[in-house]
């Protein structure tokens, strides 16, 4: 009870500093995402192990059969595995959100006088970092194995820019899922159930010309194929404007529809 | 949505009578469950106000509504003069809430959690670090400041969670079961902090299932059960509203306990509560004469007493009488 007789500094009224801007709020959440990388580096392991295994297995086991030689296969496969990596990564971010909501951490965020979408901006910063790190590791392994981006440095940069747009767009699907589903494992199950057919029934691993007609027709309009074609074009040189626009279509539509939905769902809780 | 625009201050003292929290007919249902069913409350500025009630009474739901985390289905409420529904942002700027379950980031360290909140609330660079360190020192967490929160004990988490609500001194602090699950020492420490905050002028609305806690801390207590407020007053008023005394009886024969309870209830109109000892009962009485008659009635029924005594009712006994009475009233309505 000594605290009452001698109120210590911390309990004396601490004035509220000037309210920070929405951007500053968002940056704090970005900082939180970076801290998570430092404290939980294992998460990166999860993120890059699957794509590394895919790259090695497909290149060396199936590469010869699918494209004549592992090296030739890698030329088409590597841009595709980047797309796959980024879409799978987005599932993990949805799981993280669902875990945060489950623990009541967002209750505190929601009772603060801050920009209400700032926590999501932080998620996006974390995602972008994840995509960049995972993408760089996969590309480095590809280069070691003999992948040569004919689009040059500019092509690779363009490809990565599109990759981030894809990660951003697909991220919304799992943010919405994370808001709706309170168990991270369920988010993962639903996420992969939805992504597996999209990723495998695409032009990432196999040339659609070898598929039955009905499947080839689906593969041709599958947004994952369109995005893969665009990235292949950018990194391999010779992308057309039309291809890049088609690759951007899904991320743009997803963002336009799901970002406002996120806001509604978050506010409604 | 641009936070850099200062919020207009609308201090309408006329409509809220200068109360920190003013609630009228607030209601919230989840499907069929009326979690909060029309509650009125007025919490004076600078007071410690306790919401006392058993599991599922609706305490958390009421508090989450007041913290703008869920929207009410009916009724009105204002916090520091700001309407809950119309001005949620202004409400958030005057409150802080420590929820029933720790709202901390387990992966980050204690210091990082506080730094994050300091920065979100507008402290920059060195000022944010200084604020985090002050809070850590004050809540006796300096040694653990660099450890991840997932390695903290229950008491440490609770202290950090409360510290997180004090980054800027709120006008009103909501504490949902601040000491549940803490050992007696940790509980005492939290009580000291709560008193110190109140001494600094913070209005505190806390929930508790512990009568002793409400008795110890609160200037005023509202008893909540099944979404209703069933009583309100100072702990002294609550005790005297029901009766100034409490009759404790110890039966010679424990098997007659149910007969004895029935006799007492019939005589005094209130439910008797089983005591800690097997064969003991206690019941709130208005006067000593009444207690005397009740003892007489027991003896007339041939129930022998090993001991009996008269004392002031504890809040525990008051609570039991209140909830039992309330259930009785509800049954009468049906
Ligand atoms: N999100 C929810 N969905 C459905 N029912 C809910 C929800 N939140 C609370 N309830 C119900 O509302 C009632 C009141 O719950 P509340 O959590 O407010 O009680 P409480 O007094 O805080 O209890 P405790 O002491 O156990 O924390 C309970 O019957 C509970 O089951
Ligand atoms: Mg509760």
């Amino acid at each position: 009870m000594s605290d009452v007789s001698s109120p210590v500094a911390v309990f004396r009224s601490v004035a509220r500093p000037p309210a920070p801007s929405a951007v500053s709020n968002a940056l704090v959440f970005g900082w939180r995402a970076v801290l998570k990388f430092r404290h939980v580096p294992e998460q990166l392991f999860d993120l890059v192990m699957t794509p590394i295994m895919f790259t090695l297995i497909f290149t060396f086991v199936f590469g010869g059969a699918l494209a004549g030689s592992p090296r030739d296969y890698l030329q088409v496969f590597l841009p595709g595995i980047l797309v796959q990596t980024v879409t799978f990564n987005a599932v993990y971010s949805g799981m993280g959100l669902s875990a945060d909501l489950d623990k009541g951490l967002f209750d505190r965020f929601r009772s603060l006088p801050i920009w209400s979408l700032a926590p999501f901006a932080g998620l996006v910063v974390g995602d972008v970092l994840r995509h960049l790190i995972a993408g760089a590791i996969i590309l480095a392994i590809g280069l070691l194995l003999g992948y040569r981006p004919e689009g040059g440095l500019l092509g690779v940069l363009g490809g990565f820019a599109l990759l981030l747009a894809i990660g951003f767009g697909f991220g919304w699907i799992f943010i919405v899922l994370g808001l709706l589903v309170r168990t991270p494992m369920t988010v993962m199950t639903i996420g992969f159930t939805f992504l597996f057919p999209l990723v495998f029934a695409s032009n990432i691993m196999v040339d659609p010309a070898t598929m039955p007609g009905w499947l080839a027709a689906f593969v041709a309009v599958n947004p994952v194929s369109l995005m893969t074609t665009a990235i292949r074009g950018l990194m391999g040189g010779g992308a057309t404007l039309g291809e890049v626009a088609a690759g951007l279509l899904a991320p743009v539509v997803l963002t336009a529809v799901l970002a406002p939905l996120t806001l509604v769902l978050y506010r409604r809780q | 949505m641009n936070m850099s625009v200062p919020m207009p201050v609308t201090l309408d003292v006329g409509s809220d009578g200068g109360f920190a929290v003013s609630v009228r007919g607030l209601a919230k249902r989840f499907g069929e469950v009326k979690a909060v069913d029309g509650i009125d409350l007025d919490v004076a500025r600078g007071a410690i106000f306790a919401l006392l009630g058993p599991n599922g009474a609706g305490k958390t739901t009421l508090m989450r509504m007041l913290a703008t985390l869920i929207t009410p289905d009916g009724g009105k409420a204002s916090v520091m003069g700001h309407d809950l529904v119309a001005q949620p942002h202004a409400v958030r700027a005057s409150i802080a809430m420590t929820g029933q379950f720790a709202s901390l980031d387990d992966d980050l360290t204690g210091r990082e959690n506080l730094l994050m909140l300091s920065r979100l609330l507008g402290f920059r660079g060195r000022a944010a670090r200084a604020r985090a360190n002050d809070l850590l020192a004050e809540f006796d967490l300096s040694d653990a400041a660099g450890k991840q929160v997932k390695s903290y004990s229950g008491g440490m988490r609770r202290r950090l969670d409360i510290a997180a609500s004090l980054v800027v001194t709120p006008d009103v602090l909501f504490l949902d079961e601040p000491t549940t699950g803490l050992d007696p020492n940790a509980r005492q420490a939290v009580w000291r902090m709560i008193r110190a905050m109140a001494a600094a002028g913070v209005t505190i609305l806390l929930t508790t299932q512990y009568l002793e806690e409400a008795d110890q801390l609160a200037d005023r207590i509202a008893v909540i059960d099944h979404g209703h407020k069933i009583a309100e007053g100072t702990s002294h008023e609550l005790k005297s509203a029901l009766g100034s005394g409490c009759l404790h009886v110890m039966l010679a024969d424990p098997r007659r306990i149910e007969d004895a309870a029935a006799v007492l209830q019939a005589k005094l109109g209130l439910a008797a509560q089983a005591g800690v000892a097997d064969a003991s009962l206690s019941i709130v009485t208005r006067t000593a004469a009444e207690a005397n008659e009740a003892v007489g009635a027991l003896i007339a029924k041939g129930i022998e007493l090993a001991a009996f005594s008269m004392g002031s009712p504890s809040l525990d006994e008051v609570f039991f009488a209140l909830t039992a009475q309330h259930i009785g009233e509800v049954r009468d309505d049906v």
Side-chain angles (χ1 to χ4, degrees), chain B residues 30 33 35 54-61 100 177 209:
Chain B
F30 296 106
V33 183
N55 285 133
K59 305 181 296 292
T60 298
T61 306
Q100 187 167 358
E177 302 201 15
Q209 297 184 32

Side-chain angles (χ1 to χ4, degrees), chain B residues 54-188:
Chain B
N55 285 133
K59 305 181 296 292
T60 298
T61 306
L62 175 58
M63 204 164 250
R64 284 171 61 83
M65 283 193 278
L66 293 175
T68 74
L69 293 175
I70 46 178
T71 37
D73 299 332
K76 281 187 75 70
S78 67
V79 176
M80 296 310 283
H82 308 294
D83 184 83
L84 209 58
V85 178
Q87 303 164 288
H89 201 84
V91 170
R92 286 177 204 135
S94 44
I95 62 155
M97 165 148 174
T98 298
Q100 187 167 358
F101 305 104
S103 42
L104 300 164
D105 193 328
D106 275 356
D107 290 331
L108 305 191
T109 66
R111 178 179 285 114
E112 285 164 350
N113 267 283
L114 293 179
L115 260 178
M116 172 170 74
L117 292 166
S118 303
R119 291 186 178 152
L120 284 175
L121 288 165
F123 289 99
R124 284 160 188 276
R126 196 172 301 161
R129 255 188 306 277
R131 186 65 194 142
N133 286 337
D134 282 354
L135 285 163
L136 288 165
E138 205 44 54
F139 283 82
D140 206 13
L141 290 166
S142 295
D143 292 341
K147 294 208 180 77
Q148 280 179 290
V149 171
K150 59 168 76 120
S151 70
Y152 281 25
S153 72
M156 288 159 78
R157 268 166 196 275
R158 209 63 196 149
R159 294 206 300 276
L160 183 63
D161 212 2
I162 295 178
S165 292
L166 296 178
V167 171
V168 293
T169 311
D171 295 320
V172 183
L173 176 61
F174 298 118
L175 297 171
D176 196 359
E177 302 201 15
T179 65
T180 300
L182 299 189
D183 67 29
N185 270 332
R187 172 170 304 173
Q188 287 288 342

